[in-house]
Amino acid sequence: MPKYPEVQVRPGREEDLPALTELYNHYVRATPVTFDLEPLSLEQRRPWLLSHPEDGPHRLLVALESPETLGSAETPDTAAPAGHLLGYATSSPFRPKAAYATSVETSVYCAPGAAGRGVGTLLYTALFHALRNEDVHRAYAGIAQPNEASARLHARFGFRPVGVFREVGRKFGRYWDVAWYEKELTSGD
Protein backbone atom coordinates (compact mmCIF):
# COMPACT_ATOMS: atom_id res chain seq x y z
CA MET A 1 0.00 0.00 0.00
CA PRO A 2 1.23 3.52 -0.67
CA LYS A 3 2.57 5.31 2.38
CA TYR A 4 3.18 9.05 2.61
CA PRO A 5 4.59 11.13 5.47
CA GLU A 6 1.17 12.26 6.70
CA VAL A 7 -1.17 9.48 5.55
CA GLN A 8 -1.07 5.69 5.51
CA VAL A 9 -3.46 3.55 3.44
CA ARG A 10 -4.20 -0.02 4.50
CA PRO A 11 -7.07 -2.53 4.38
CA GLY A 12 -9.94 -1.78 6.72
CA ARG A 13 -10.21 -3.87 9.88
CA GLU A 14 -12.71 -4.58 12.63
CA GLU A 15 -11.17 -1.96 14.91
CA ASP A 16 -11.89 0.67 12.23
CA LEU A 17 -15.65 0.02 12.38
CA PRO A 18 -16.53 2.80 14.87
CA ALA A 19 -14.64 5.47 12.92
CA LEU A 20 -15.92 4.17 9.56
CA THR A 21 -19.50 4.19 10.83
CA GLU A 22 -19.12 7.69 12.28
CA LEU A 23 -17.74 9.02 8.99
CA TYR A 24 -20.47 7.35 6.93
CA ASN A 25 -23.18 8.62 9.28
CA HIS A 26 -21.89 12.17 8.78
CA TYR A 27 -22.79 11.79 5.09
CA VAL A 28 -26.14 10.18 5.96
CA ARG A 29 -27.11 13.10 8.23
CA ALA A 30 -25.64 16.05 6.33
CA THR A 31 -25.53 15.29 2.59
CA PRO A 32 -27.34 13.61 -0.29
CA VAL A 33 -24.14 11.70 -1.16
CA THR A 34 -25.66 8.49 0.22
CA PHE A 35 -29.33 7.71 0.01
CA ASP A 36 -29.48 6.12 3.45
CA LEU A 37 -31.92 8.24 5.43
CA GLU A 38 -31.09 7.20 9.01
CA PRO A 39 -27.68 6.79 10.67
CA LEU A 40 -26.49 3.21 11.01
CA SER A 41 -25.42 1.42 14.19
CA LEU A 42 -22.18 -0.55 14.44
CA GLU A 43 -24.20 -3.77 14.24
CA GLN A 44 -25.93 -2.60 11.07
CA ARG A 45 -22.61 -1.58 9.48
CA ARG A 46 -20.60 -4.71 10.46
CA PRO A 47 -21.87 -6.92 7.55
CA TRP A 48 -20.69 -4.22 5.12
CA LEU A 49 -17.23 -4.25 6.72
CA LEU A 50 -17.04 -8.05 6.64
CA SER A 51 -18.05 -8.12 2.96
CA HIS A 52 -14.75 -6.43 2.07
CA PRO A 53 -11.86 -8.86 2.71
CA GLU A 54 -8.19 -7.94 2.29
CA ASP A 55 -8.02 -9.73 -1.07
CA GLY A 56 -10.29 -10.32 -4.02
CA PRO A 57 -12.31 -7.82 -6.02
CA HIS A 58 -14.28 -6.34 -3.10
CA ARG A 59 -11.93 -4.21 -1.03
CA LEU A 60 -12.09 -1.65 1.73
CA LEU A 61 -9.10 0.63 2.13
CA VAL A 62 -8.76 3.24 4.85
CA ALA A 63 -6.59 6.35 4.98
CA LEU A 64 -5.24 7.19 8.42
CA GLU A 65 -3.28 10.12 9.77
CA SER A 66 0.10 8.58 10.50
CA PRO A 67 1.28 8.27 14.13
CA GLU A 68 4.24 10.56 13.41
CA THR A 69 1.79 13.35 12.64
CA LEU A 70 -0.34 12.58 15.69
CA GLY A 71 2.58 11.82 18.00
CA SER A 72 1.21 8.35 18.85
CA ALA A 73 2.94 5.00 18.91
CA GLU A 74 2.25 1.86 16.92
CA THR A 75 -0.33 -0.44 18.39
CA PRO A 76 1.45 -3.45 19.89
CA ASP A 77 -1.02 -6.12 18.77
CA THR A 78 -1.09 -5.17 15.07
CA ALA A 79 2.23 -3.36 14.50
CA ALA A 80 0.23 -1.03 12.25
CA PRO A 81 -0.03 2.68 12.88
CA ALA A 82 -3.03 3.88 14.80
CA GLY A 83 -4.38 7.18 13.62
CA HIS A 84 -7.32 9.40 12.85
CA LEU A 85 -9.49 8.16 9.95
CA LEU A 86 -9.24 10.53 6.98
CA GLY A 87 -11.35 8.50 4.60
CA TYR A 88 -12.01 5.20 2.92
CA ALA A 89 -12.53 3.70 -0.53
CA THR A 90 -14.38 0.55 -1.51
CA SER A 91 -14.96 -1.71 -4.46
CA SER A 92 -18.21 -3.59 -3.95
CA PRO A 93 -20.37 -5.91 -6.03
CA PHE A 94 -22.07 -3.93 -8.79
CA ARG A 95 -25.18 -6.12 -8.79
CA PRO A 96 -25.95 -9.48 -7.12
CA LYS A 97 -26.47 -11.61 -10.25
CA ALA A 98 -23.52 -13.86 -11.22
CA ALA A 99 -22.89 -12.35 -14.67
CA TYR A 100 -22.03 -9.03 -12.99
CA ALA A 101 -19.15 -10.60 -11.02
CA THR A 102 -16.46 -8.89 -13.11
CA SER A 103 -17.93 -5.45 -12.45
CA VAL A 104 -17.53 -3.45 -9.23
CA GLU A 105 -19.03 -0.25 -7.87
CA THR A 106 -16.43 2.02 -6.31
CA SER A 107 -16.80 4.83 -3.83
CA VAL A 108 -14.68 7.19 -1.76
CA TYR A 109 -15.67 8.98 1.44
CA CYS A 110 -13.34 11.59 2.94
CA ALA A 111 -13.59 13.05 6.43
CA PRO A 112 -14.86 16.65 6.36
CA GLY A 113 -11.46 18.02 7.42
CA ALA A 114 -9.58 15.95 4.85
CA ALA A 115 -11.02 17.61 1.75
CA GLY A 116 -8.41 19.07 -0.59
CA ARG A 117 -5.51 17.08 0.94
CA GLY A 118 -5.35 14.43 -1.78
CA VAL A 119 -6.88 11.72 0.40
CA GLY A 120 -9.40 10.67 -2.24
CA THR A 121 -6.66 10.48 -4.86
CA LEU A 122 -4.45 8.46 -2.53
CA LEU A 123 -7.27 6.04 -1.73
CA TYR A 124 -8.28 5.50 -5.37
CA THR A 125 -4.64 5.05 -6.39
CA ALA A 126 -4.28 2.31 -3.78
CA LEU A 127 -7.65 0.74 -4.63
CA PHE A 128 -6.97 0.45 -8.36
CA HIS A 129 -3.46 -0.81 -7.62
CA ALA A 130 -5.00 -3.54 -5.40
CA LEU A 131 -7.50 -4.48 -8.12
CA ARG A 132 -4.96 -4.68 -10.96
CA ASN A 133 -4.57 -8.47 -10.82
CA GLU A 134 -8.17 -9.29 -9.93
CA ASP A 135 -10.76 -10.54 -12.41
CA VAL A 136 -12.46 -7.15 -12.69
CA HIS A 137 -13.41 -5.77 -16.10
CA ARG A 138 -15.30 -2.57 -15.28
CA ALA A 139 -15.68 -0.18 -12.36
CA TYR A 140 -18.78 1.98 -11.94
CA ALA A 141 -19.48 4.96 -9.72
CA GLY A 142 -22.81 6.61 -9.01
CA ILE A 143 -22.49 10.25 -7.96
CA ALA A 144 -25.44 12.16 -6.50
CA GLN A 145 -25.72 15.50 -8.26
CA PRO A 146 -24.35 18.08 -7.95
CA ASN A 147 -20.89 16.96 -6.79
CA GLU A 148 -18.14 18.56 -8.88
CA ALA A 149 -15.32 17.39 -6.59
CA SER A 150 -16.31 13.75 -6.99
CA ALA A 151 -16.82 14.14 -10.76
CA ARG A 152 -13.29 15.62 -11.06
CA LEU A 153 -11.79 12.82 -8.97
CA HIS A 154 -13.42 10.14 -11.08
CA ALA A 155 -12.41 11.85 -14.34
CA ARG A 156 -8.81 11.96 -13.07
CA PHE A 157 -8.93 8.17 -12.76
CA GLY A 158 -10.33 7.61 -16.24
CA PHE A 159 -14.02 7.28 -15.44
CA ARG A 160 -16.31 8.42 -18.25
CA PRO A 161 -19.90 9.59 -17.80
CA VAL A 162 -22.39 7.03 -19.13
CA GLY A 163 -25.76 8.40 -18.03
CA VAL A 164 -27.90 10.10 -15.43
CA PHE A 165 -30.77 8.62 -13.46
CA ARG A 166 -33.05 11.65 -13.03
CA GLU A 167 -34.71 12.22 -9.64
CA VAL A 168 -33.90 8.66 -8.60
CA GLY A 169 -33.71 9.33 -4.86
CA ARG A 170 -35.63 11.51 -2.41
CA LYS A 171 -33.83 12.91 0.61
CA PHE A 172 -34.14 16.14 2.61
CA GLY A 173 -37.53 16.78 1.01
CA ARG A 174 -36.33 16.86 -2.61
CA TYR A 175 -35.38 14.55 -5.46
CA TRP A 176 -31.75 13.99 -6.49
CA ASP A 177 -30.19 12.87 -9.76
CA VAL A 178 -27.37 10.31 -9.85
CA ALA A 179 -24.78 10.49 -12.63
CA TRP A 180 -23.15 7.17 -13.50
CA TYR A 181 -19.52 6.82 -14.51
CA GLU A 182 -17.62 3.85 -15.95
CA LYS A 183 -13.94 2.88 -16.00
CA GLU A 184 -12.41 0.02 -17.96
CA LEU A 185 -10.07 -2.09 -15.87
CA THR A 186 -7.45 -4.32 -17.40
CA SER A 187 -4.88 -6.57 -15.82
CA GLY A 188 -1.91 -4.47 -14.75
CA ASP A 189 -3.88 -1.17 -14.38
Side-chain angles (χ1 to χ4, degrees):
M1 297 288 141
K3 187 173 181 179
Y4 294 95
E6 294 181 24
V7 180
Q8 181 211 11
V9 175
R10 63 159 171 76
R13 300 191 287 241
E14 179 73 24
E15 63 264 22
D16 300 319
L17 186 59
L20 288 165
T21 303
E22 181 181 329
L23 174 56
Y24 184 75
N25 283 340
H26 160 76
Y27 284 95
V28 171
R29 287 188 297 272
T31 77
V33 168
T34 175
F35 284 0
D36 275 320
L37 299 176
E38 298 294 328
L40 302 176
S41 69
L42 295 179
E43 293 74 30
Q44 290 170 312
R45 198 68 170 149
R46 184 168 279 108
W48 165 84
L49 175 81
L50 297 175
S51 72
H52 294 89
E54 287 194 29
D55 58 3
H58 307 133
R59 307 281 182 111
L60 165 63
L61 299 177
V62 298
L64 301 167
E65 195 89 39
S66 73
E68 296 83 22
T69 304
L70 295 172
S72 63
E74 290 190 3
T75 56
D77 58 328
T78 62
H84 176 71
L85 181 73
L86 298 175
Y88 67 90
T90 61
S91 58
S92 300
F94 179 64
R95 296 285 183 265
K97 295 187 175 156
Y100 289 114
T102 61
S103 297
V104 294
E105 184 173 346
T106 62
S107 61
V108 173
Y109 286 84
C110 292
R117 292 180 54 188
V119 172
T121 298
L122 181 62
L123 283 162
Y124 256 5
T125 298
L127 180 65
F128 291 119
H129 179 78
L131 294 176
R132 75 186 184 285
N133 293 319
E134 298 296 337
D135 185 20
V136 179
H137 183 63
R138 290 278 193 273
Y140 295 92
I143 303 172
Q145 298 298 298
N147 191 334
E148 287 301 315
S150 186
R152 281 192 309 272
L153 174 69
H154 285 84
R156 190 175 317 124
F157 280 89
F159 281 84
R160 296 175 300 113
V162 292
V164 176
F165 292 175
R166 303 268 178 221
E167 296 184 352
V168 69
R170 186 171 65 189
K171 187 172 181 178
F172 303 135
R174 66 169 274 200
Y175 288 97
W176 300 91
D177 296 346
V178 174
W180 283 92
Y181 292 78
E182 173 186 68
K183 174 183 173 59
E184 181 179 351
L185 298 174
T186 57
S187 184
D189 262 356

